[in-house]
Amino acid sequence: MKNIRNFCIIAHIDHGKSTLADRLLEFTGTVEGKEMKSQVLDNMDLEKERGITIKSHAIQMDYEHMGEKYSLNLIDTPGHVDFSYEVSRSIAACEGALLIVDAAQGIQAQTISNVYMALENDLEIIPIINKIDLDSAMPEEVEDQIVDLLGCDRSEVLRASGKTGVGMKEILSAIINRVPEPAGDPDAPLQALIFDSVFNSFRGIIAYFKIVNGSIKKGDLVKFVATGKEYNADEIGILKLTMQPKQEVTCGNVGYIISGIKTSKEVKVGDTVTHVKNPCEKAIEGFEEVKPMVFAGVYPIDTEDFEDLRSSLEKLQLNDASLTFQPESSVALGFGFRCGFLGLLHMEIIQERLEREFNMDVITTVPNVSYKIYDKKGNMTEVHNPAGLPDIMLIDKIEEPYIRASVITNTTYIGGIMTLCLGKRGELIKQEYISGDRVEITYDLPLGEIVIDFYDRLKSISKGYASFDYVMHDYRPSKLVKLDILLNGEPVDALSTLTHFENAESFGRRMCEKLKELIPRQQFDIAIQAAIGAKIIARETVKALRKDVTAKCYGGDISRKRKLLEKQKKGKKRMKQVGNVEVPQTAFLAVLKLD
């Protein structure tokens, strides 16, 4: 065990984690020749296209240092705030972390929150300044920022370049010398933590684990503590670029287990695996349930695909434990699921993965957050969907979730960012200068205002220089109203939203204008209305397609033309009674881009 090191790579988005991981794999000879390509560990097409890491990836490297052989288990983690749950799971399986900071951009919001996460888990942090080969690199200033943040010595900060491979030897020797060996008892009963799982259509569910105590052999009868199910370990092994079967995986190591599990509910991330004959006394602690921030309805375009969508979401949930879902139905869209996501990017990624990996065409409704509704008797219910709101006469107060947001930016953009936050009903908590011209602004903001377009607007105001991170703070009473969208007098429940009463009128008007552009013209007029309760606050009309029925009347008495027009008018009136309006998918997404 003294020759095993488990470590993960943490950083803000785009600071070069995956590239640095590539160089480490190349330097240790784990990946060679034609297998070597950029972002080796990002195996989803989506990750390569967008240049972001979505999943954590584990891989084992063998390295010889001072005549001794070491096994290094590396986990590459995502950097975007929406995938912080992946990071927390990876951190739980490690004893050390490489903290990577871009030499040109310095410390950003996600860097700080990842550091706190690693410190809470007592990880040994090795700070690395990456991209020192860039012309715009400022290693001295960034080193000052790291020393301020971690309180470490300057000599502990390493300099490297993931692109050119500078500093790899120093990083590997720092991992061996500074990261502690796994603490565990090889002779104790088996206790292994599941930190990830994937679905394989041929082998069933493959669970990735880290052994805390004891060891596991091929063919052992094991038990999953949370579900109480028992299985045979058909195949166990370690994770290289591909899975490598072994006869035994020992204490402190990271590996995988295949035991022919077919149902996704039987594997829970954060569960403990132990032997049936000699079980451990208690499960491993420290894994909290994920709390979704954003909720949206996901509906199949064909109602017959409902069960297929359910099984697709279950398989996705294995691979992405932060996704939650429960069945719901809508008048406009039929049967579907109310899904909980960690943020808007997460929602977008799940939708794309459903389309690519499972060929599911889905409609996603307007995202919203969960509200606490108190009735006159003092009972509280949690509502994730405006359609589930009780009668307004029964409601005493509505509380909405607030977040504590930290924005790190250049002093040049403070004005624009403050205007944006105040426009979103934000309260300024504090403003601190980190170093030179970098400032951290802390705001309390309603989560419902952040969900729609806050992140995009923040990036455009700051020309990409502001970084944003947030944590759930509390619930506060707010004056919220339910805004309904009516098409020809019929409410479309999938478009209804809860919004602050000050914004309701302008929001309703903009919604109606946007829908007028998107809803295709029919043979009859379509009235688009925004309403709060019984009060209509905005209206637009999509004019009917007009067929010239009088074309055949060349000359003659006007009454002939009038007769034809009256007949057409009656037909349109009847059509309006029976005709239904199809709302295109773009209309649901248009709400996100109203500004």
Side-chain angles (χ1 to χ4, degrees), residues 293-296 338 365-371 383-386 451 496:
M293 298 281 188
V294 175
F295 296 87
R338 170 112 325 223
T365 64
V366 182
N368 49 290
V369 299
S370 62
Y371 297 94
V383 172
H384 302 317
N385 185 355
V451 162
S496 58

Side-chain angles (χ1 to χ4, degrees), residues 194 198-200 202-207 222 224 227 229-232 234 257-268 318:
I194 296 180
V198 307
F199 182 81
N200 181 310
F202 302 107
R203 316 278 323 253
I205 291 159
I206 303 169
V222 293
F224 286 43
T227 56
K229 301 269 185 180
E230 298 178 2
Y231 305 100
N232 276 318
D234 298 338
I257 176 170
I258 301 176
S259 45
I261 308 170
K262 292 288 184 284
T263 37
S264 50
K265 287 190 179 68
E266 292 176 21
V267 177
K268 282 191 165 59
L318 273 177

Side-chain angles (χ1 to χ4, degrees), residues 159-230:
R159 296 188 183 185
S161 162
K163 195 172 176 184
T164 59
V166 173
M168 292 307 123
K169 196 172 180 183
E170 291 78 6
I171 292 175
L172 286 164
S173 61
I175 291 166
I176 287 164
N177 297 327
R178 281 152 64 176
V179 173
E181 62 189 67
D185 180 357
D187 304 320
L190 171 68
Q191 203 181 24
L193 171 80
I194 296 180
F195 66 89
D196 204 355
S197 56
V198 307
F199 182 81
N200 181 310
S201 43
F202 302 107
R203 316 278 323 253
I205 291 159
I206 303 169
Y208 299 153
F209 59 78
K210 181 207 173 180
I211 298 184
V212 180
N213 289 314
S215 64
I216 184 171
K217 292 188 174 70
K218 185 179 176 178
D220 281 354
L221 187 62
V222 293
K223 182 170 91 170
F224 286 43
V225 176
T227 56
K229 301 269 185 180
E230 298 178 2

Side-chain angles (χ1 to χ4, degrees), residues 379-422:
N379 301 325
M380 189 275 284
T381 47
E382 211 169 87
V383 172
H384 302 317
N385 185 355
L389 204 66
D391 189 337
I392 201 82
M393 303 305 288
L394 304 173
I395 296 174
D396 180 37
K397 62 174 181 179
I398 302 178
E399 288 188 351
E400 65 174 334
Y402 267 70
I403 57 169
R404 177 68 50 98
S406 113
V407 178
I408 295 181
T409 182
N410 203 303
T411 43
T412 328
Y413 309 111
I414 289 180
I417 289 171
M418 284 190 160
T419 313
L420 171 68
C421 292
L422 289 171

Side-chain angles (χ1 to χ4, degrees), residues 488 521-526 542-549 564-579:
N488 280 347
R521 289 171 71 188
Q522 308 281 346
Q523 292 284 339
F524 51 91
D525 282 3
I526 302 169
V542 179
K543 298 307 281 178
L545 290 166
R546 186 166 171 271
K547 182 181 174 190
D548 192 359
V549 286
L564 289 166
L565 289 167
E566 286 298 325
K567 190 178 169 189
Q568 184 188 33
K569 198 193 264 180
K570 274 185 196 159
K572 296 231 181 218
K573 195 174 175 185
R574 193 170 66 248
M575 203 183 282
K576 190 174 182 177
Q577 288 168 353
V578 295

Side-chain angles (χ1 to χ4, degrees), residues 316-467:
L316 259 186
Q317 197 178 31
L318 273 177
N319 199 239
D320 182 349
S322 51
L323 168 71
T324 61
F325 64 91
Q326 61 195 58
E328 72 161 6
S329 63
S330 142
V331 182
L333 300 168
F335 291 104
F337 294 93
R338 170 112 325 223
C339 298
F341 307 98
L342 293 183
L344 273 189
L345 178 70
H346 187 209
M347 176 177 131
E348 208 180 305
I349 295 293
I350 291 289
Q351 199 179 338
E352 279 209 33
R353 285 184 70 184
L354 279 172
E355 283 173 18
R356 290 179 182 214
E357 294 172 29
F358 303 100
N359 292 328
M360 291 300 310
D361 280 337
V362 292
I363 287 178
T364 314
T365 64
V366 182
N368 49 290
V369 299
S370 62
Y371 297 94
K372 288 183 175 172
I373 315 284
Y374 291 87
D375 63 16
K376 298 272 167 67
K377 293 175 184 169
N379 301 325
M380 189 275 284
T381 47
E382 211 169 87
V383 172
H384 302 317
N385 185 355
L389 204 66
D391 189 337
I392 201 82
M393 303 305 288
L394 304 173
I395 296 174
D396 180 37
K397 62 174 181 179
I398 302 178
E399 288 188 351
E400 65 174 334
Y402 267 70
I403 57 169
R404 177 68 50 98
S406 113
V407 178
I408 295 181
T409 182
N410 203 303
T411 43
T412 328
Y413 309 111
I414 289 180
I417 289 171
M418 284 190 160
T419 313
L420 171 68
C421 292
L422 289 171
K424 296 281 187 189
R425 300 189 282 130
E427 285 175 35
L428 180 64
I429 304 298
K430 64 174 187 208
Q431 181 178 337
E432 282 183 310
Y433 284 85
I434 303 173
S435 64
D437 59 352
R438 289 165 64 75
V439 65
E440 180 180 8
I441 314 170
T442 309
Y443 264 94
D444 276 359
L445 288 150
L447 182 61
E449 298 276 351
I450 301 296
V451 162
I452 292 188
D453 57 352
F454 180 82
Y455 196 66
D456 297 345
R457 288 178 62 190
L458 178 73
K459 284 291 181 199
S460 55
I461 285 170
S462 64
K463 299 189 171 59
Y465 277 111
S467 61

